[in-house]
Amino acid sequence: RKKLKSTSKYIYQTLFLNGENSDIKICALGEEWNLHKIYLCQSGYFSSMFSGSWKESSMNVIELEIPDQNIDVEALQVAFGSLYRDDVLINPSRVVALLAAACMLQLDGLIQQCGETMKETITAQTVCGYYNSAGTYGLDSVKKKCLEWLLNNLMTHQSVGLFKELSINLMKQLISSSNLFVLQVEMDVYTALKKWMFLQLVPSWNGSFKQVLSEADAWFAERRREFGGDVAFLESAQGSAFVPVFAHLRLQYIISDLASARIVERDALLPSEWLSSVYKQQWFAMLRAEQDNDIGPQEINKEELEGNSMRCGRKLAKDGDYCWRWTGFNFGLDLLVTYTNRYIIFKRNTLNQPCSGSVSLQPRRSLAFRLRLASFDCSGKMICSRTTGYQILSLEKDQEQIVMNLDSRLLTFPLYICCNFLYTSPEKRADS
């Protein structure tokens, strides 16, 4: 038997595509559409136009002014067509243009559908465009989703294209957040910012991402020669715009590592006043840990943890047994981390294992921490996640403690582990 055409398809073909019995012509961007007022009134834009004393309410031909450069003929075609059918198939590559048209025409259902499409198709290639468009057109949920994607993937999905698109304000939000998934340590955040700043300043550069660091180092070295070694790059006219971003680096966890401190001093990107104050702060912190019986945080100070905790992470490529060290950067605590049999274990190393720095011999040592685990698909979309929340852990010498037991849903590899640590008591900080 011959299948009957559905009413929706008949309406779309006959009334919209063929324009039969049209009672109004819409002209825009050099194109014309023979449409119907009764269908156009589903749009808030046309509903207001056709009601009241507007001159357009009695006109049969309306010339639309299109003030938004994101709107093109194809987007208007889909937007107008959505008034004549039950569903619209949205191509992700066209979603921003369609969202712009839907917002102009006040098509709430289409706006919502564009938002859902954007949230489902966030990738390294689309995230910045989506974030900017969501801000322009008031889609707060899309903006939030893009920010979450960047916090989760900035350190693992770096590319020339992404770093060129990331604005200063957006990067500032990312670097200041305690939710940034840092791999491996804070020094890697500094290195990422150096690459990003270079690509912001030299947007015409188009090599491979593997070459960016060496190119950036050479470019900034040339700037140092121009300045004569007396001015940090961020103090120059070119660098001043990036100060708000670099100001959110947690330098105390960079300068306590010798190799990292040497790189930062060599680069001369940061004002010397920033570094001297941090050197002083960290020296007093280590003196307190050694001489003033500072055994670490005794209660959760969420503001201190979110603003000043050490951010570090690890990627587990496949299931198995892993063991690594997060040292606390010579604050007297050497932490061994073990992943085995679906357990994550923290152990305070005092005497059992050799270490590169000093350890605390105090009977008990405390730290505040938050451990997060997550796995992602190839586009960076989170598959599953788990967190301990903020906790205080008190360990005796060489004591170990299970801090998380993974369930089978989290055994999707690669698995990313990110942790925030605070080793010293916030109320005893050198700058307080």
Side-chain angles (χ1 to χ4, degrees), residues 214-375:
S214 60
E215 290 287 332
D217 283 338
W219 193 87
F220 288 119
E222 183 63 30
R223 304 290 84 71
R224 285 197 302 276
R225 286 190 286 272
E226 292 175 4
F227 301 153
D230 297 327
V231 179
F233 183 77
L234 293 184
E235 295 174 311
S236 69
Q238 279 182 303
S240 60
F242 301 94
V243 167
V245 180
F246 280 82
H248 288 285
L249 277 171
R250 302 182 181 191
L251 294 174
Q252 63 268 40
Y253 305 117
I254 294 177
I255 56 90
S256 294
D257 174 73
L258 179 59
S260 300
R262 283 174 170 166
I263 291 172
V264 170
E265 292 282 355
R266 179 208 68 193
D267 288 347
L269 300 179
L270 309 179
S272 58
E273 293 80 6
W274 290 17
L275 295 171
S276 59
S277 65
V278 175
Y279 285 133
K280 179 179 178 180
Q281 169 191 317
Q282 289 304 83
W283 176 244
F284 274 97
M286 285 191 281
L287 286 177
R288 288 196 308 273
E290 288 292 325
Q291 302 175 17
D292 199 27
N293 296 320
D294 179 5
I295 63 170
Q298 302 302 299
E299 59 184 23
I300 298 295
N301 183 329
K302 189 175 180 182
E303 181 180 355
E304 181 75 10
L305 274 160
E306 291 185 345
N308 294 299
S309 58
M310 183 179 91
R311 302 179 291 191
C312 49
R314 193 82 172 188
K315 175 184 176 181
L316 307 186
K318 58 183 180 180
D319 201 5
D321 291 337
Y322 296 87
C323 185
W324 64 94
R325 174 182 267 118
W326 282 325
T327 66
F329 294 100
N330 296 328
F331 287 142
L333 182 65
D334 189 54
L335 199 68
L336 296 178
V337 187
T338 304
Y339 170 81
T340 182
N341 296 325
R342 302 185 183 180
Y343 291 104
I344 295 180
I345 301 167
F346 287 171
K347 180 179 180 179
R348 177 191 168 195
N349 177 48
T350 305
L351 303 170
N352 284 359
Q353 298 290 332
C355 62
S356 59
S358 63
V359 298
S360 172
L361 298 179
Q362 293 177 358
R364 184 168 288 274
R365 196 77 168 79
S366 298
L367 67 152
F369 77 97
R370 179 186 62 174
L371 183 67
R372 292 180 293 150
L373 283 80
S375 56

Side-chain angles (χ1 to χ4, degrees), residues 82-327:
S82 72
L83 301 171
Y84 291 80
R85 63 198 313 180
D86 295 329
D87 50 36
V88 179
L89 183 63
I90 299 176
N91 185 335
S93 66
R94 300 287 308 149
V95 69
V96 172
L98 184 55
L99 173 63
C103 286
M104 189 193 100
L105 299 176
Q106 300 172 36
L107 299 173
D108 293 339
L110 189 56
I111 292 171
Q112 183 179 356
Q113 191 174 347
C114 286
E116 293 303 314
T117 299
M118 292 166 79
K119 284 188 278 190
E120 289 297 318
T121 56
I122 296 172
T123 65
Q125 290 72 40
T126 63
V127 63
C128 290
Y130 284 178
Y131 180 87
N132 294 331
S133 298
T136 300
Y137 301 112
L139 294 184
D140 290 340
S141 63
V142 175
K143 196 173 180 180
K144 181 181 177 182
K145 201 79 172 177
C146 290
L147 193 61
E148 288 176 357
W149 189 97
L150 285 166
L151 288 170
N152 291 333
N153 295 281
L154 178 67
M155 301 302 292
T156 56
H157 282 66
Q158 297 175 21
S159 68
V160 172
L162 177 61
F163 274 21
K164 286 182 179 180
E165 285 190 88
L166 281 168
S167 69
I168 289 176
N169 286 335
L170 181 51
M171 187 61 97
K172 177 185 172 182
Q173 287 190 68
L174 299 174
I175 300 304
S176 64
S177 176
S178 63
N179 293 323
L180 179 66
F181 247 87
V182 172
L183 296 176
Q184 304 266 336
V185 291
E186 192 75 18
M187 183 61 185
D188 294 290
V189 182
Y190 169 85
T191 303
L193 284 187
K194 183 165 55 171
K195 298 175 187 176
W196 165 77
M197 183 165 63
F198 166 71
L199 291 171
Q200 292 285 305
L201 291 165
V202 192
S204 60
W205 191 86
N206 281 314
S208 72
F209 194 75
K210 290 182 179 180
Q211 299 171 302
V212 175
L213 183 57
S214 60
E215 290 287 332
D217 283 338
W219 193 87
F220 288 119
E222 183 63 30
R223 304 290 84 71
R224 285 197 302 276
R225 286 190 286 272
E226 292 175 4
F227 301 153
D230 297 327
V231 179
F233 183 77
L234 293 184
E235 295 174 311
S236 69
Q238 279 182 303
S240 60
F242 301 94
V243 167
V245 180
F246 280 82
H248 288 285
L249 277 171
R250 302 182 181 191
L251 294 174
Q252 63 268 40
Y253 305 117
I254 294 177
I255 56 90
S256 294
D257 174 73
L258 179 59
S260 300
R262 283 174 170 166
I263 291 172
V264 170
E265 292 282 355
R266 179 208 68 193
D267 288 347
L269 300 179
L270 309 179
S272 58
E273 293 80 6
W274 290 17
L275 295 171
S276 59
S277 65
V278 175
Y279 285 133
K280 179 179 178 180
Q281 169 191 317
Q282 289 304 83
W283 176 244
F284 274 97
M286 285 191 281
L287 286 177
R288 288 196 308 273
E290 288 292 325
Q291 302 175 17
D292 199 27
N293 296 320
D294 179 5
I295 63 170
Q298 302 302 299
E299 59 184 23
I300 298 295
N301 183 329
K302 189 175 180 182
E303 181 180 355
E304 181 75 10
L305 274 160
E306 291 185 345
N308 294 299
S309 58
M310 183 179 91
R311 302 179 291 191
C312 49
R314 193 82 172 188
K315 175 184 176 181
L316 307 186
K318 58 183 180 180
D319 201 5
D321 291 337
Y322 296 87
C323 185
W324 64 94
R325 174 182 267 118
W326 282 325
T327 66

